[in-house]
Amino acid sequence: MQRSVTFISLAAAALLLSACASAPTRFYTLADTAAPATAAARAIPTGQTYIEVAPVAVPERLARPQIVVRTDATRVDILEQDRWSAPFNNELRDALASGVANRLGAVDVTRGGRPVNQPVYRIVVELRQLDAVKGGKVDAAFGWTITRSDNSSSAVCRLTVVEPAAGLGVDGVVQGMQRAVANAADAIAADVTALRAGKTGVCSS
């Protein structure tokens, strides 16, 4: 009898280990490797541009490492096995900062190295909405303020974007989110360009 119980326990343990091994955690990033300059960004005046991107405010339900998808009008799923490479608010800030910097050829001085006697464009972004549906679409709404450090000129802007989430899996959702963030980076870069040219209160979106 003791031998039978031991055999069943070992078999159960083997099945449990097998189940754990078959469900690895996958990590994703919002960073877009392709960051082409927009027409507005290419028209930026000569000279180095410096940007500072503040932490991004996101809805509380999204401020976690797990990817969150909407399943219907009343329910969301938190995907334990599908995660961002950092908590979502940090991932989003880094993706926007690198996206804007790449489009403008700018230097991100958020973490130090702020230049003396050079204007810095401080960018404060709020993600007001992000709903993602597998095999459906990504619906996002951004708002941001850009302030120039040397003369306090500023622009207050917003952008609503809908991108398809191709396919049925998480990969399609992440790609749709990447495109939404890339659209926001395009618009923010164009607004920085406008401020550099002396325009205030003008938004590209």
Side-chain angles (χ1 to χ4, degrees):
M1 183 64 180
Q2 181 65 36
R3 185 178 302 168
S4 176
V5 171
T6 302
F7 176 77
I8 292 172
S9 298
L10 289 174
L15 285 173
L16 181 61
L17 289 173
S18 176
C20 292
S22 64
T25 301
R26 294 167 291 272
F27 293 93
Y28 295 85
T29 180
L30 280 173
D32 185 5
T33 55
T38 62
R42 287 194 295 269
I44 196 166
T46 58
Q48 185 64 66
T49 303
Y50 298 93
I51 63 171
E52 180 181 350
V53 183
V56 177
V58 304
E60 187 65 28
R61 62 185 170 83
L62 301 176
R64 61 183 72 243
Q66 298 93 332
I67 294 177
V68 179
V69 296
R70 182 173 289 279
T71 55
D72 56 38
T74 61
R75 200 184 83 188
V76 297
D77 281 349
I78 298 173
L79 307 180
E80 290 294 339
Q81 303 303 322
D82 297 293
R83 297 175 173 240
W84 301 110
S85 61
F88 179 72
N89 47 324
N90 295 337
E91 184 74 26
L92 180 56
R93 193 221 75 88
D94 291 347
L96 286 171
S98 62
V100 173
N102 289 342
R103 284 159 174 77
L104 297 176
V107 177
D108 180 6
V109 296
T110 304
R111 294 182 173 90
R114 188 164 181 162
V116 179
N117 299 324
Q118 291 289 334
V120 175
Y121 296 85
R122 178 171 171 78
I123 303 166
V124 179
V125 181
E126 177 187 4
L127 178 66
R128 297 173 177 173
Q129 173 190 339
L130 179 63
D131 288 321
V133 179
K134 289 183 184 179
K137 64 180 180 179
V138 173
D139 191 348
F142 300 86
W144 62 85
T145 301
I146 306 172
T147 305
R148 180 168 169 155
S149 63
D150 60 342
N151 60 17
S152 297
S153 59
S154 64
V156 180
C157 309
R158 62 183 180 180
L159 173 71
T160 299
V161 58
V162 178
E163 288 288 344
L168 300 177
V170 176
D171 286 0
V173 167
V174 172
Q175 290 167 10
M177 290 184 181
Q178 285 179 334
R179 290 192 296 270
V181 172
N183 286 334
D186 283 342
I188 294 170
D191 294 336
V192 171
T193 300
L195 277 181
R196 281 206 66 185
K199 301 175 184 178
T200 60
V202 178
C203 297
S204 61
S205 52

